[in-house]
Amino acid sequence: MAYSFLCRILYSSSKTYFVNENSSFNRGYSSGVQRSSSGVKPLVSTYFKFEESCVMLIFMFACTKDSEQVSFGNDSFCKSGRRAPWIKEEDQGDWEKQSPDGWKEHPDSDWKIHNFAGGGVVVADFNGDGREDVYLAKVSTDELFLNQGERQFTLASDWIPQRPQTTLELPTASVGGAAADYDGDGDQDLFLLTVHGPDVLLRNEGDHFTDQTLAVGLSLNEQDSGAAVWADYDLDGDLDLFVGAHLEALFSFAASDDDYAYPEPGPNHLYRNDGDFFTEVDLYIESEHEFTLGAAWLQYEPGELPDLYVVNDFGQYNTPNRLYRQTQEGFEPESSRSGAELGMFGMGLSVGDLNDDLLPDMWISDEKSAKLLLSMGDREWYEASSSLGLDFVLSSQRFGWGGNLVDFENDGDLDAFVGYGPLPGYHLDPEDDPPEQHDSFFLNSKGQFRWKTGDWKLDDGNVSRGAIFADLDHDGLLDLIRPSLVGPAEIMWGDCMGGNWLSIALRDTQSKNLNGIGARVVVEGGEERWTRWVVSGESFASSAPSVAHFGLGSYDGSVTVTVDWVDGHRTQKKISVLNQRKIISR
């Protein structure tokens, strides 16, 4: 489970890093993991060591009796009566009424599609009925599907205002976005990312959205945006907004040329929520040449100002991924010694805790294989994808986009997903950028990841960008909502259970951050511990419900849930009944 995750990785050298059990980020948790008499514990039996002359990775297979490849948990069952991870329903109400104007036809030798538009998906309870709805970003008119239960949806076209017109030759198209209750009135609002036009802030009025972009002071500049993340970055009790920008027109040029002069991308924006108005904050001391497609706010200790991590495309040739440390004076780039400054074709991002140190690890999509940054302490990470089996990639998988860390089958550990899809505007040879590129699914099997795309029926060549996993039918299993740039978005309903589960939603009555965005939620039971963060904005241009979902595997006893709110306050609650959705308030 969570504690045995990295027990077979040895990272050879003369220095071993330990976590002090009395350290600030470990204090207050009653985990049953064995600790040494010196009062420190290894990072989940993971020893990171460094040789001056060389670095060597040794895998220890003695930690578990066997390391068989498995597709499901030991105690899994499938509701359909067959061993199939997903169910595709033929009747989902209005879901099948998605307009074909929202995508282009399947690729051929001359296919032309937007590289970003229509790639993201936002899942949130917009009408407040307790069921998660689905907002689909589209090339033409966006679509909102209200969840009616029983895997049925109603198309709510009257919710969405008309998209603003621009002076550009190309029409504005939606990329995706992030949902959050920015005004603290109890319903989910939506920030919408676009290309070839200004981004849009939609306020939820209960039965429709209104465009508040101009009214609250957000930028109306026409740019191409790829990331939106809500968080209370200044810890004043309301939600602020980071927006990452790119330049989609870049892909029509010969960017593979080493002497290519990259044009200026759109600027990234940080907006501070000042009540009825947003104030743009200077994020960088100097102008940064960042093609940003992913971002996350990282808080290592509750109550501390969070840092900002941005994922950048073309990082080998421009600004790489960068960690911006927040101080009382503002933001400053963290030293490259953090290990997080990767030069890559960064596309998407997901945060989780894989090595059980209560600190954020990051799963980052890239050209070819994705990267996994495992934490080694505050502001220190180690790139561990190859040592854990996450570097497997087919020759046909060229461009990775949205990445997700979730427990697919509730067996108690986090699995990994990456959506793949071609980049038609890049004008590559079809052999280098095939029109069909399968998504990747890695099953976490006792600390090593196994590539299980075929077993999980994801080898269908979907032209993917972002994706979201959410329990749409409240059966305790995560469902996959996956858009396509060349066809309708689809829902793949989770069908096989690999263990017990618990879903935690937060209610913060002490601030306007009502859903506790940014909080760390820790579940402990017996000798096990699981950690999640409540976020708004992940994968590629996508957003999941503000719910922390935990697979608990075979554990079936009572648990203690600890919520560390972003302002440093802590709430603890004992739960005796598993396999339920629970709201924890303060």
Side-chain angles (χ1 to χ4, degrees), residues 397 417-420 437-441 453 458 462 464 482:
Q397 291 175 306
F417 171 88
V418 179
Y420 280 84
Q437 302 182 24
H438 301 326
D439 297 337
S440 274
F441 160 59
T453 292
L458 294 171
N462 186 66
S464 295
R482 187 175 63 153

Side-chain angles (χ1 to χ4, degrees), residues 32-84:
V33 171
Q34 295 296 315
R35 293 179 171 84
S36 69
S37 58
S38 62
V40 298
K41 71 166 183 172
L43 279 173
V44 197
S45 303
T46 303
Y47 299 83
F48 296 93
K49 300 182 176 182
F50 300 87
E51 288 279 352
E52 291 184 3
S53 57
C54 66
V55 175
M56 180 172 61
L57 287 172
I58 304 174
F59 291 93
M60 276 175 44
F61 293 100
C63 295
T64 56
K65 189 172 182 179
D66 67 79
S67 55
E68 295 286 325
Q69 290 196 25
V70 294
S71 292
F72 309 100
N74 293 332
D75 301 316
S76 67
F77 67 88
C78 300
K79 295 185 296 181
S80 64
R82 58 188 177 86
R83 294 185 68 79

Side-chain angles (χ1 to χ4, degrees), residues 137-210:
K138 294 290 186 177
V139 173
S140 56
T141 302
D142 295 350
E143 294 171 329
L144 173 63
F145 291 90
L146 300 179
N147 188 345
Q148 303 300 315
E150 303 297 327
R151 299 183 176 179
Q152 298 289 302
F153 293 87
T154 299
L155 179 61
S157 302
D158 54 345
W159 271 68
I160 303 173
Q162 185 175 1
R163 184 177 289 151
Q165 300 298 311
T166 72
T167 59
L168 299 178
E169 180 180 350
L170 292 171
T172 302
S174 297
V175 176
D181 184 8
Y182 81 87
D183 52 2
D185 65 351
D187 49 29
Q188 297 295 302
D189 309 302
L190 174 63
F191 185 78
L192 194 61
L193 299 162
T194 70
V195 291
H196 312 306
D199 299 327
V200 180
L201 178 64
L202 298 177
R203 188 175 68 193
N204 191 336
E205 306 294 351
D207 57 2
H208 67 283
F209 292 118
T210 57

Side-chain angles (χ1 to χ4, degrees), residues 93-158:
D94 288 348
W95 186 261
E96 281 68 41
K97 295 182 180 179
Q98 295 176 50
S99 171
D101 293 337
W103 61 83
K104 299 295 183 181
E105 294 300 322
H106 196 73
D108 55 31
S109 59
D110 298 317
W111 74 309
K112 300 292 182 184
I113 62 172
H114 289 280
N115 293 300
F116 302 153
V121 57
V122 179
V123 181
D125 180 10
F126 288 112
N127 62 354
D129 65 354
R131 294 184 289 262
E132 289 76 22
D133 310 305
V134 181
Y135 189 102
L136 298 178
K138 294 290 186 177
V139 173
S140 56
T141 302
D142 295 350
E143 294 171 329
L144 173 63
F145 291 90
L146 300 179
N147 188 345
Q148 303 300 315
E150 303 297 327
R151 299 183 176 179
Q152 298 289 302
F153 293 87
T154 299
L155 179 61
S157 302
D158 54 345

